[in-house]
Amino acid sequence: MTHDFSQEITGDRESQNQQGNTWRQYFSFNTDHKVIGVQYMVMTFIFFLIGGLLAMLIRAELLTPESNLVDRPLYNGLFTMHGTIMIFLWIIPFNAGLSNYLVPLMIGARDMSFPLLNAISFWILPPAGLLLLSSFFLPNGTAQAGWWSYPPVSLQVPGDQFINGEFIWIVSLVLIGISSIMGAVNFVTTIFWMRAPGMTFFRMPVFVWSVFSAQLLQLVNLPALTAALILLLLDLSFGTQFFKPDANGDPIIYQHLFWFYSHPAVYIMALPAFGIFAEILPAFSRNPLFGYRSVAIATLGIAFISIFVWVHHMFTSATPGWMRMTFMATSMLVAIPTGIKAFAWTATIWRSKLHLETPMLFAMGGAAMFIFGGVTGVMLAATPFDIHVNNTYFVVGHFHYIVFNTITMAIFAAIYYWFPKITGRMYAEGWGKLHFWLTFIPANITFFSMHPLGLQGMLRRVSSYDPQYQGWNIIASLASFLLGASTLPFIANIVGSWLYGPRAVDNPWHATGLEWTTSSPPPRDNFEEIPTVTRPPYDYGNPKYSVIVNSDNSE
Amino acid sequence: MQRRHIDESPIRFDLWRRRLPNWLQRFLPSGGGTHEDHHGKGMFGLTIFLLSESIIFLSFIFTYVALRLTTHNWLPPGISGPELSTLVVINTVVLLSSSFVIQPAENALKRNQLSKFRWLWLITIAMGSYFLVGLLIEWKSLDFKITTGLVGSTFYLLTGFHGLHVLAGVVLQIIMLIRSFIPGNYNQTHFGTSATTLFWHFVDVVWVFLFSLIYLWRT
């Protein structure tokens, strides 16, 4: 379905802005990519809070070696839901929301290529998320097999009810998967077909490259997870035997299908974060992004290599030696394109005058923490080391350095950076910096503590442990409570600034991206005239390109 | 510090600077930034969706092949497994030849031959429906169920999932036929028919692989 916007763009800019600002739109079925983007971001943030509360319950249980706060089935449910919510209802859909908001603006399009499909993609998510949460109220509780949901554990659900926690978990994830596939079709088509005149592939911002690569991965890999979930559901509820070892079924096949998606899923989450760094670091160091083309191609390279690394999650799953060796090599290969990126970020800010506003703090913090998480990632790719720390808190620590200290930091950076564009108002800088330090320090304490715990042998997914591990656990738990509390100044800042903040100018950071050439917030149709792009991105400091965009009628 | 431009970077880090970018640029569509060409955009979107969909089929096929290669007693005692019966052969011939009916139908619509389109389209619907009925008859006649060992699990999974696609294709075809009778709806119908035709070809191609794996791969 398409909509004729030509009448709406004839009004003056002020009335268009008001159109884009009506709060009622955000609660309605709307096909404007900007409204959908904000809907995604706000909804996923609510899930982030829920997932965070579950994490703090987990950390509270781990304060003492005994299992004395929640019973074990509930503890299993807590970590299962925490992981599921944070991955499938926070990071991935938040990135989808941010990309939804930014990609059409960044490539000079009026909307996504399939606006109706876009709205449907979003509106699948709230019911799927509520369905997932509702499983807490089932007689036998929610799914308890972890976010991997490996059979045969996931097939051993307590009680005989047809509708059980695992059933609900599978159905919700299939729904979320359908939403993501539709979104991926939309993003890839939009980036291929909707670019403004002159916006060649090598004039696209790296963020768009990242979204493009990540969404290609969704298209190629997500169906494998959907297939695995369908098979799991058939085994669970309809008496088939694909993954049942006692009936000749093979649970290892589930692991192959699951990780064929879920390892690239890490890059589906991380690539947009890298894209965010590539937007913010140049803007706040007033330098062009170093090695732009290499970074763009490295983005595609990461996506491509990540398709061939999934077995490194299965080094301890009776995997044959040749397979271990092969996948150890491919997994380590990912370090090359990611290294190119990290090198480019460093070279971009090298010997420049840094402007340490909140987005820059979060971007630099996130990028630096990625180096740490990346190094432990290479360690885990090495089979002998992985066998030693497999299923310990070392893996949990590494993973959280990526998903929290890198990606969630990047998300916060993005929220602050594009807040003036999205809302037309400025956030409070002091509160933003407070939020950064309240996040950065406790996050590092929390997740660093998990590395020595893991090296000493503390297993993940246990509610009770040997008293020798208590010291690091107390440190991690107390820091995690502080980390949870750090969200409060963020919420106060965002809500307060959105309502009462000072008006923002169109381009408060003097950034070069196309999204900054339109008003804040952008009008319904994004641009009064579709811009013609005549320059590469990231042209900070080049007087030759002081005029950012030559609109057809502007000169 | 003096501001640098990308070309003045002290280190030539971007190795692919000349070759790959130029190569890519030649093959990728350049942007228009408008809502024009719904047909091209729609068909592009559908194509990448079908590529994605084929990964689900590939995952199921991977499961089938992996289980089959590692299971010694694939057929439980007293079970003969799926047979290459006359019914299956006729069903396959009907489904595959329907691709050669739906394509002329779509071409007829492009040339604005509405009544030829409707006849050929109706024949395609009949052929698709025949396949579905044939599938149900085959299911009825078999001596094993979805719960009968791995052979039952995989057989009903593969044929059932494909059957769902055939059903979706037939439903789409019926919708397009009805829409062709609504005056002034020609353009949308046209995209819809192209999309349905592409989807139908996809369903046919998948069946070639499934048919070979299920019926021609003897133990």
Side-chain angles (χ1 to χ4, degrees):
Chain A
M1 192 179 91
T2 55
H3 181 62
D4 182 16
F5 300 124
S6 56
Q7 293 185 333
E8 291 178 16
I9 56 169
T10 52
D12 64 336
R13 178 177 271 209
E14 192 57 37
S15 72
Q16 289 159 23
N17 286 350
Q18 281 164 0
Q19 258 179 342
N21 244 345
T22 326
W23 61 270
R24 281 189 186 83
Q25 283 187 315
Y26 295 117
F27 294 94
S28 65
F29 188 87
N30 193 306
T31 55
D32 181 0
H33 73 97
K34 299 185 290 298
V35 174
I36 295 172
V38 173
Q39 285 173 332
Y40 263 108
M41 290 188 271
V42 172
M43 184 209 71
T44 53
F45 187 75
I46 293 168
F47 279 106
F48 172 64
L49 295 179
I50 296 170
L53 285 174
L54 300 183
M56 282 193 277
L57 273 175
I58 294 169
R59 287 313 318 174
E61 167 65 73
L62 294 175
L63 267 173
T64 54
E66 304 83 30
S67 178
N68 46 13
L69 183 66
V70 292
D71 61 7
R72 289 184 185 192
L74 180 57
Y75 183 83
N76 292 342
L78 287 178
F79 70 69
T80 301
M81 281 296 145
H82 165 70
T84 309
I85 288 172
M86 289 305 200
I87 290 168
F88 294 106
L89 288 164
W90 160 240
I91 296 182
I92 291 179
F94 185 94
N95 282 340
L98 186 71
S99 315
N100 234 306
Y101 196 98
L102 290 176
V103 165
L105 286 167
M106 284 180 157
I107 62 174
R110 296 222 181 275
D111 205 333
M112 296 281 281
S113 51
F114 309 115
L116 182 66
L117 188 72
N118 201 16
I120 295 172
S121 303
F122 168 73
W123 283 104
I124 288 176
L125 283 177
L130 289 176
L131 182 69
L132 188 71
L133 289 179
S134 72
S135 64
F136 271 115
F137 303 103
L138 288 171
N140 289 306
T142 183
Q144 294 172 29
W147 84 276
W148 312 345
S149 212
Y150 277 179
V153 177
S154 51
L155 299 175
Q156 296 162 350
V157 294
D160 283 333
Q161 281 92 355
F162 184 77
I163 305 289
N164 52 52
E166 190 64 32
F167 181 92
I168 298 280
W169 185 89
I170 295 173
V171 172
S172 311
L173 251 64
V174 169
L175 286 174
I176 294 168
I178 290 170
S179 155
S180 291
I181 289 278
M182 296 196 309
V185 167
N186 220 337
F187 279 118
V188 174
T189 310
T190 303
I191 294 170
F192 259 93
W193 284 79
M194 306 283 285
R195 282 170 289 120
M199 177 58 84
T200 61
F201 259 66
F202 284 96
R203 280 182 187 159
M204 292 195 315
V206 170
F207 182 78
V208 180
W209 274 100
S210 309
V211 172
F212 182 65
S213 311
Q215 297 299 334
L216 278 181
L217 281 179
Q218 291 275 37
L219 282 175
V220 174
N221 299 71
L222 184 53
L225 177 71
T226 311
L229 292 175
I230 291 171
L231 297 178
L232 196 65
L233 185 72
L234 289 172
D235 271 10
L236 181 76
S237 306
F238 297 96
T240 57
Q241 284 130 29
F242 300 106
F243 304 137
K244 291 177 186 164
D246 50 357
N248 282 335
D250 189 355
I252 300 294
I253 290 176
Y254 177 87
Q255 295 191 17
H256 279 291
L257 292 175
F258 178 84
W259 287 117
F260 186 73
Y261 170 70
S262 294
H263 186 82
V266 178
Y267 294 99
I268 291 167
M269 296 185 266
L271 285 173
F274 299 163
I276 292 165
F277 297 152
E279 298 306 309
I280 295 177
L281 296 176
F284 288 88
S285 53
R286 314 311 299 170
N287 259 345
L289 181 72
F290 186 86
Y292 161 73
R293 285 187 184 215
S294 307
V295 173
I297 291 166
T299 306
L300 270 183
I302 293 172
F304 180 73
I305 299 172
S306 72
I307 296 176
F308 306 99
V309 301
W310 77 93
V311 176
H312 75 230
H313 292 271
M314 301 163 60
F315 283 155
T316 57
S317 307
T319 306
W322 65 268
M323 221 185 228
R324 285 175 170 178
M325 292 295 287
T326 314
F327 282 87
M328 179 169 89
T330 54
S331 302
M332 288 182 169
L333 208 60
V334 184
I336 295 172
T338 32
I340 291 175
K341 276 175 170 286
F343 184 76
W345 300 333
T346 318
T348 302
I349 59 174
W350 182 254
R351 293 177 66 192
S352 67
K353 185 180 185 313
L354 297 180
H355 298 255
L356 292 175
E357 272 86 2
T358 312
M360 184 62 163
L361 286 178
F362 271 104
M364 284 176 68
M369 290 308 100
F370 173 71
I371 310 290
F372 186 88
V375 168
T376 52
V378 176
M379 289 163 76
L380 284 170
T383 315
F385 184 78
D386 182 71
I387 288 172
H388 177 65
V389 297
N390 181 62
N391 250 341
T392 70
Y393 261 85
F394 189 90
V395 181
V396 184
H398 155 74
F399 185 68
H400 282 83
Y401 258 85
I402 302 294
V403 288
F404 191 94
N405 287 7
T406 305
I407 303 173
T408 304
M409 291 269 197
I411 286 175
F412 282 131
I415 293 173
Y416 285 110
Y417 183 60
W418 282 290
F419 186 82
K421 182 50 62 186
I422 295 171
T423 64
R425 293 176 185 273
M426 282 306 287
Y427 63 88
E429 191 62 54
W431 284 79
K433 284 182 173 145
L434 175 74
H435 173 223
F436 171 73
W437 291 111
L438 273 180
T439 308
F440 186 77
I441 297 170
N444 272 293
I445 299 173
T446 304
F447 301 123
F448 179 79
S449 311
M450 295 176 176
H451 292 84
L453 272 178
L455 288 173
Q456 288 161 19
M458 177 165 161
L459 293 179
R460 65 199 295 195
R461 296 174 180 189
V462 289
S463 59
S464 61
Y465 53 82
D466 197 279
Q468 60 162 319
Y469 302 126
Q470 195 179 8
W472 284 112
N473 269 310
I474 288 178
I475 294 171
S477 290
L478 293 180
S480 81
F481 300 145
L482 199 56
L483 184 58
S486 75
T487 320
L488 297 176
F490 171 72
I491 296 172
N493 190 358
I494 293 301
V495 173
S497 302
W498 202 329
L499 295 173
Y500 308 111
R503 292 269 171 205
V505 292
D506 288 353
N507 188 0
W509 315 119
H510 303 287
T512 57
L514 219 51
E515 75 272 25
W516 300 104
T517 61
T518 186
S519 65
S520 296
R524 176 68 172 91
D525 241 5
N526 290 354
F527 301 95
E528 289 181 353
E529 296 275 339
I530 288 290
T532 300
V533 183
T534 54
R535 56 170 190 85
Y538 312 112
D539 253 5
Y540 294 100
N542 185 2
K544 191 165 67 175
Y545 297 112
S546 59
V547 177
I548 290 171
V549 163
N550 291 323
S551 192
D552 277 344
N553 296 336
S554 63
E555 289 181 301
Chain B
M1 114 125 216
Q2 199 188 351
R3 288 168 169 175
R4 290 184 274 130
H5 178 241
I6 191 164
D7 290 332
E8 296 155 11
S9 316
I11 306 169
R12 281 277 167 177
F13 187 45
D14 22 8
L15 294 173
W16 309 276
R17 207 183 162 88
R18 282 179 190 83
R19 288 199 191 143
L20 189 61
N22 295 340
W23 181 83
L24 278 173
Q25 217 87 75
R26 253 182 283 151
F27 289 92
L28 300 173
S30 65
T34 62
H35 279 277
E36 288 161 22
D37 198 3
H38 294 288
H39 193 274
K41 234 167 32 186
M43 293 307 279
F44 180 88
L46 180 66
T47 306
I48 56 175
F49 171 74
L50 290 179
L51 287 174
S52 190
E53 188 83 345
S54 62
I55 304 284
I56 298 193
F57 277 107
L58 275 176
S59 304
F60 287 157
I61 288 172
F62 162 76
T63 307
Y64 172 73
V65 171
L67 286 173
R68 188 134 178 209
L69 288 175
T70 54
T71 309
H72 295 301
N73 44 351
W74 178 250
L75 295 175
I79 304 290
S80 54
E83 290 287 338
L84 184 60
S85 58
T86 324
L87 176 74
V88 174
V89 174
I90 294 176
N91 239 356
T92 303
V93 170
V94 168
L95 184 69
L96 297 189
S97 45
S98 68
S99 259
F100 298 95
V101 181
I102 198 170
Q103 195 58 58
E106 195 213 346
N107 296 344
L109 189 66
K110 276 183 188 154
R111 290 193 295 269
N112 215 3
Q113 299 164 323
L114 212 52
S115 104
K116 185 181 175 189
F117 158 75
R118 284 175 187 147
W119 274 113
L120 289 171
W121 203 252
L122 197 62
I123 295 171
T124 319
I125 295 173
M127 293 168 97
S129 309
Y130 178 90
F131 178 85
L132 283 173
V133 174
L135 180 67
L136 288 179
I137 294 172
E138 189 200 359
W139 281 6
K140 276 258 176 199
S141 70
L142 290 170
D143 56 354
F144 59 90
K145 295 182 296 194
I146 193 167
T147 50
T148 313
L150 290 175
V151 65
S153 296
T154 50
F155 173 78
Y156 285 98
L157 170 79
L158 292 173
T159 56
F161 195 64
H162 178 262
L164 276 178
H165 280 74
V166 177
L167 181 65
V170 170
V171 169
L172 284 173
Q173 286 161 3
I174 292 171
I175 293 171
M176 292 311 142
L177 186 67
I178 294 169
R179 283 170 76 171
S180 79
F181 286 97
I182 301 171
N185 212 358
Y186 173 78
N187 273 331
Q188 283 166 335
T189 313
H190 189 189
F191 168 68
T193 44
S194 298
T196 309
T197 307
L198 183 62
F199 182 77
W200 197 248
H201 290 321
F202 168 76
V203 169
D204 270 10
V205 169
V206 169
W207 182 247
V208 173
F209 289 96
L210 295 188
F211 175 81
S212 315
L213 279 167
I214 297 171
Y215 298 101
L216 302 183
W217 182 11
R218 308 308 302 171
T219 40

